[in-house]
Every structure is written in C-alpha cells, then in structure tokens.
Amino acid sequence: DAGVIQSPRHEVTEMGQEVTLRCKPISGHDYLFWYRQTMMRGLELLIYFNNNVPIDDSGMPEDRFSAKMPNASFSTLKIQPSEPRDSAVYFCASSYQGQGTDTQYFGPGTRLTVL
Amino acid sequence: EDQVTQSPEALRLQEGESSSLNCSYTVSGLRGLFWYRQDPGKGPEFLFTLYSAGEEKEKERLKATLTKKESFLHITAPKPEDSATYLCAVQASSQGGSEKLVFGKGTKLTVNP
C-alpha cells in the first residue's frame, strides 16, 4: 500500500487567502484524522471521521477551519481566510478498527506558511 | 483533562550509550499508550502500543514499558540512525470508545557516532 497521501507537501500563501489541504487515507481504513503540529503546542487533533462522518471536531480552532470527507478515499481541510498563526505542519492519519487495532498511520504532512 | 508530559525535551547520547525516555500521563482510564518515532520533515511512524501496566514490547534496540502513571522507552546501545524525535500519546477509555490520541511534545534524541 502507498500509505497515507497528502497534498500539497508545501503551501505558501498570503493572509486572507483560502487554503485547501488534501488527504487520501490507506485503502480499507475507516477512521481519518487531521492533526496540526507546531513547536509551541506539539501535535494536536483537529477533527476525526468514522466511515466519512465527522465524530469529534472539538479541536478545530475556529470557524475559519472546515473539513469534509465526501467518500472513503478523500478528505479535505480548508482554511478560509488564512492567518499567519495558522502556519504549521498539518498531518492526516488513518486507522482501521476492524481487527481491534488502534494504530493510526500518518501521512508525510503539509507544511503551511501564511505570510 | 488528559495530559502527557515527556522528558527530557532533548537527549544527546554517544553511540552505544544506553538510556531511557520518560512519558508521564494523566488520564481518566487508559485505553492505550502509543509510541511513535518522527524524523525531520516526515510524519510520525508507529512503534508500539501498550495497553496495561506491566506490559512490555521490544523492537530491535527499543523496549517500551508501562506502569499506571508512566511509560519508558529504553534504548539499548543506540546507533546514529536512532536519532529522531520520539512521541508518546495516550488514548482514554473515558471518552466512550473515542479514537482520540493526546500527544506529548516529544523527546528529541541525537546519537553521535
């Protein structure tokens, strides 16, 4: 399997612009997670989905952030409008509960810089 | 609130010098404790899951152990390729089966040749 795929790998944008991050989970996985990593706060869960349905979005910082999962093989995280404090590395992860395992497998991340 | 504290923040070792990383946690009912390795510019890579106090797991030069309040990642005779940031995370059973992981800020390990 190719693992979790994220695009773009790097994104540089200006304050106020819309940013869309994309994720393709591992085939067959039924959970998908979006995390944000910064030096100050470490790795934080933003939102996660089970079978394409959002389960917990309590980590989403504010209404400027939104996430969707239209099907089992694709998810997006959108920031509109973006602000400099959104600069971070955003990771997508997926897992499969069918065999009782909780292991989350991470993608390579998207490094977002908002100028 | 579930919390994870890792120490030290950074650790420098000589090749072959064994040591341990600490992960202290506060959680209302532990469902699982996870160790990940993260290399610069990459996503976290899964190492171990521990579920109950007294459990141990090994992989090459790494051994993870778990008590009711903390976990240790023991590194025996490390090599330069073991240099990475090691992350600890907990999953609480109090959240009704939630898959949410709470991560510590990590220990950055550097092994000099």
Side-chain angles (χ1 to χ4, degrees), chain A residues 31 37 40 48 102 104, chain B residues 31 36 38 98-99 105:
Chain A
Y31 282 85
Q37 187 174 41
M40 287 292 292
Y48 77 91
D102 300 302
Q104 295 181 21
Chain B
R31 188 170 156 204
Y36 284 82
Q38 186 174 23
S98 167
E99 297 304 305
K105 292 189 177 180

Side-chain angles (χ1 to χ4, degrees), chain A residues 33-108:
Chain A
F33 306 81
W34 282 101
Y35 289 88
R36 178 171 68 176
Q37 187 174 41
T38 61
M39 291 292 291
M40 287 292 292
R41 300 177 66 89
L43 196 60
E44 301 175 289
L45 178 67
L46 299 176
I47 184 171
Y48 77 91
F49 297 81
N50 177 218
N51 291 323
N52 313 336
V53 176
I55 302 301
D56 185 346
D57 65 354
S58 59
M60 296 285 263
E62 48 197 277
D63 292 345
R64 297 184 297 106
F65 286 68
S66 62
K68 294 182 180 180
M69 191 165 186
N71 58 62
S73 59
F74 184 67
S75 177
T76 59
L77 178 67
K78 186 176 293 187
I79 308 173
Q80 166 63 18
S82 57
E83 297 182 2
R85 60 189 167 130
D86 301 331
S87 297
V89 182
Y90 291 81
F91 289 103
C92 176
S94 69
S95 69
Y96 173 57
Q97 267 293 303
Q99 295 178 337
T101 177
D102 300 302
T103 303
Q104 295 181 21
Y105 296 90
F106 284 75

